[in-house]
Amino acid sequence: MDFKELTYVMALARYQNITRAAQSLYLSQPALTRFLQRLESTLGQPLFNRLGNRLMLTYAGKIYVAKAQEILMMKKELDETMQDIARSHCGHLRIGLSVFRASSFLAGVLPAFSRQYPNVQIVIEENDSVALESALCSGDLDLAFFPLPAKRPEIVTEILRSEELLLMLPPHDPIAGCAQTRPDFRFPWLDLALLKNHRFILQKKDQRTRQIIDKLFHDNNFVPERILEIQNIEVAVSLTVAGYGCSFTRDVHLSQLSVAGAAPQCFSVGHQRTFSDYAAAYRQGMYLPDYARDFIRLVRQQLNAESDNHPKTDDHAAVQ
């Protein structure tokens, strides 16, 4: 057994197809087919069931892949440790974050990181928090960035900043005239009870922002009568600007939101300001090379810079 053999089986399990797996490994299809036949013959049992062109793991195959994954992760950690010792700083850094976050802070982080570590190749995956946690645990990602809480106990998190959740109303919604200035609130405060008949444009229930909003509603005994569920926050903002309903965003997003024409109006709601923590995450027990630590540091700096550039709260905190 060698690491190449493990890598080949992992590719077959991932793509479930000989042709696509061979392409990902830069092998010919016949060569990969012969490899699999020899390996299964040596093991004395099949690792995959053939269903047309699709490969499905057998019970033995699932055990093989699980152990192969552990071995390859251990090898990766060993390689990174040796690289750090030699101060070569050569390697790959696989990073996961949401689509919206990728557009907001990567431009401020990647150029600085590449200047410091020109020999480290960055791979970016954009997905929701649940998928990012899963990818961390499987070893497909080294770092991920998402709002807390983390759902899986094997995930370690480092809080980068706290972000306030804000309500957004359409530009000319008359309810905005009922907002109050309160000493404990940075943005004008609006009573949720006034919004009972409004349509709410909310994220899906498995998204962190939606879970925070649902808790806000529960804590304030508020039940919206009309809800439209949508995953993309930028689409939610566009619909709010168009007057279709109200939505939520985090204060850090305000400077990145692009709107055409009039801007949404932003308010604090609830008995107290609602915050969520945004964090860097990685797998427990995983060795983080110096360059991964520095990437986290650069993200923290970028988020702090964005915080300093928040729009002011004049005119009901309309997004500029």
Side-chain angles (χ1 to χ4, degrees), residues 274-306:
T274 301
F275 289 94
S276 64
D277 292 324
Y278 191 71
Y282 46 89
R283 192 177 61 257
Q284 187 174 38
M286 174 185 175
Y287 172 78
L288 284 182
D290 287 350
Y291 54 78
R293 291 284 182 189
D294 276 342
F295 193 92
I296 294 174
R297 176 183 58 80
L298 289 169
V299 170
R300 190 190 303 273
Q301 290 177 352
Q302 178 66 21
L303 291 174
N304 289 337
E306 291 176 358

Side-chain angles (χ1 to χ4, degrees), residues 14-86:
R14 179 179 182 181
Y15 290 98
Q16 299 181 340
N17 178 273
I18 286 281
T19 301
R20 284 161 49 199
Q23 290 172 346
S24 73
L25 296 167
Y26 301 101
L27 291 176
S28 68
Q29 180 180 335
L32 187 57
T33 299
R34 289 193 297 271
F35 156 78
L36 181 58
Q37 291 171 343
R38 288 195 301 269
L39 176 60
E40 290 180 329
S41 176
T42 300
L43 296 175
Q45 57 188 321
L47 297 180
F48 297 90
N49 288 319
R50 281 71 169 171
L51 301 175
N53 292 327
R54 191 177 181 190
L55 297 177
M56 300 296 294
L57 286 168
T58 63
Y59 176 76
K62 291 178 181 178
I63 299 298
Y64 189 102
V65 165
K67 294 300 180 182
Q69 192 173 65
E70 292 178 12
I71 293 169
L72 290 174
M73 284 195 293
M74 290 174 63
K75 179 183 183 299
K76 180 179 182 296
E77 292 171 8
L78 174 61
D79 290 344
E80 290 173 340
T81 303
M82 295 300 102
Q83 289 170 4
D84 265 4
I85 292 173

Side-chain angles (χ1 to χ4, degrees), residues 88-137:
S88 63
H89 295 307
C90 295
H92 291 75
L93 187 58
R94 301 165 298 171
I95 298 164
L97 66 168
S98 69
V99 174
F100 190 84
R101 293 287 183 165
S103 65
S104 67
F105 71 63
L106 281 184
V109 173
L110 290 185
F113 180 84
S114 294
R115 286 193 295 270
Q116 188 172 354
Y117 298 102
N119 297 320
V120 176
Q121 181 179 345
I122 296 287
V123 178
I124 301 293
E125 177 178 333
E126 299 163 293
N127 218 320
D128 60 56
S129 301
V130 174
L132 295 179
E133 282 195 46
S134 178
L136 282 176
C137 293

Side-chain angles (χ1 to χ4, degrees), residues 34 67 79 98 158-160 182 186 206 251 313 317:
R34 289 193 297 271
K67 294 300 180 182
D79 290 344
S98 69
E158 296 182 17
I159 295 175
L160 302 180
R182 292 194 170 189
R186 176 170 170 252
D206 61 349
D251 58 1
T313 59

